Amino acid sequence: MSGPVAGRISFCVTCKNRLWQLRRTLPENLERAEADGNAEVVLVNYDSRDGMDEWVRTFRPHIERGLLRYLHLRDAPHFHMSKAKNLAHFGATGEFLVNVDADNFIGDTVPAWRAQWARAYDTLIHGFVAETDKGQVGERDGLPAEGNGTSGRIGLPRRHFMALGGYDEEMLPMSQQDVDLIDRARASGLAVVRLPQPGRASIPNSIEDKLRDTGLPFGWEEMRRHNLERRRENLRLGRLTANPGRVPVRVLVDFTRETEI
């Protein structure tokens, strides 16, 4: 890719063994991307073993029209949230990058997000659902609001995501990576704006669902404590750019070509 496509929003989705959720969210999210007219969904198959690859082949027309960009990582037995999200974001083609978890719907958010970036380009947008969000992220140390499941809805201009180095891959596989990115963005001078999402936003899942493929014996609370300390340390040391020595990984793009991202 020679450079990002001007004005394009890339909705970055990662999934490992969650096809049951993706079956419900991806078709609708592709419709939202198509309706916008300058958007794509970037989907990372993080070595899923539940038939995702075969199912995504039914969306080849969307791939051919540039609505879906499919990255298949085939040698990752264990899921790591920061690494998976970085792969989706680094492999996107848009000027704006928005994280959308596999269990989340884009919904009717795109016009408001575009309007916000038109008003103030150097902005990180954090989406949320007003009905279930009981506190500002950061004030509650990154704990998800009860029943929410949307705390990872983060979007920002590509150049700022790259300057921040993406999500911190030195964290344990789950918890705090979203809030850490927000912390570092704010400390780097970006404005942070929270925009609500009306209507259905996500498919509920359990903590067990989140931890199932991490390959570690740690529980959610232990991961949270460890990553919270890492997050605080990043700010204390002024470590605002993550992953300075990140090594690209090889993926299959759109079923046709291999590349390193």
Side-chain angles (χ1 to χ4, degrees):
M1 186 178 71
S2 58
V5 178
R8 175 175 292 175
I9 297 179
S10 296
F11 294 100
C12 303
V13 180
T14 65
C15 193
K16 183 177 181 70
N17 298 330
R18 298 275 195 92
L19 179 59
W20 67 275
Q21 294 177 332
L22 202 62
R23 285 182 184 275
R24 296 171 60 185
T25 58
L26 183 62
E28 180 177 320
N29 288 345
L30 286 170
E31 289 178 6
R32 297 287 185 173
E34 186 168 25
D36 174 69
N38 192 14
E40 66 177 358
V41 175
V42 182
L43 172 61
V44 168
N45 176 342
Y46 207 78
D47 197 18
S48 289
R49 303 302 173 90
D50 58 356
M52 184 190 305
D53 201 46
E54 293 76 10
W55 182 73
V56 172
R57 288 181 186 275
T58 66
F59 292 91
R60 293 198 80 123
H62 296 79
I63 293 173
E64 292 166 2
R65 299 204 307 274
L67 290 171
L68 176 62
R69 184 169 170 82
Y70 182 56
L71 312 178
H72 189 179
L73 179 66
R74 292 162 292 175
D75 55 355
H78 303 302
F79 187 72
H80 192 288
M81 185 66 80
S82 292
K83 293 178 180 179
K85 288 183 176 181
N86 282 344
L87 187 56
H89 287 63
F90 294 154
T93 69
E95 181 181 4
F96 301 97
L97 307 178
V98 179
N99 181 74
V100 179
D101 292 342
D103 58 358
N104 274 216
F105 297 94
I106 294 170
D108 190 22
T109 60
V110 184
W113 287 49
R114 284 200 179 279
Q116 176 61 44
W117 280 317
R119 288 191 299 269
Y121 187 87
D122 300 319
T123 299
L124 180 150
I125 299 173
H126 187 203
F128 71 102
V129 179
E131 291 79 7
T132 55
D133 190 39
K134 294 181 171 54
Q136 296 287 329
V137 167
E139 292 178 1
R140 52 185 163 84
D141 289 332
L143 283 171
E146 182 180 356
N148 192 325
T150 61
S151 60
R153 186 73 60 84
I154 295 171
L156 67 168
R158 179 189 187 90
R159 72 184 188 193
H160 292 306
F161 185 86
M162 296 303 178
L164 292 166
Y167 294 86
D168 187 355
E169 297 185 7
E170 292 301 314
M171 288 188 162
L172 291 177
M174 290 284 180
S175 184
Q176 299 292 308
Q177 73 283 337
D178 300 313
V179 196
D180 172 73
L181 180 64
I182 294 172
D183 283 347
R184 290 186 286 112
R186 184 183 284 113
S188 297
L190 269 70
V192 175
V193 173
R194 307 194 77 218
L195 294 181
Q197 175 170 334
R200 179 180 59 167
S202 64
I203 301 170
N205 59 74
S206 66
I207 293 296
E208 289 74 20
D209 288 332
K210 295 176 184 293
L211 300 180
R212 184 168 293 121
D213 291 306
T214 61
L216 293 177
F218 307 137
W220 178 267
E221 184 58 30
E222 188 172 354
M223 285 196 196
R224 190 189 76 86
R225 285 197 302 267
H226 179 279
N227 287 349
L228 177 58
E229 178 56 36
R230 170 76 181 183
R231 169 188 157 206
R232 290 170 172 167
E233 185 180 77
N234 283 343
L235 288 183
R236 185 171 67 249
L237 299 179
R239 194 165 53 204
L240 304 184
T241 300
N243 315 308
R246 180 183 180 273
V247 177
V249 296
R250 180 165 290 275
V251 296
L252 183 65
V253 180
D254 294 341
F255 301 105
T256 59
R257 60 185 179 87
E258 292 201 7
T259 190
E260 289 188 340
I261 295 175

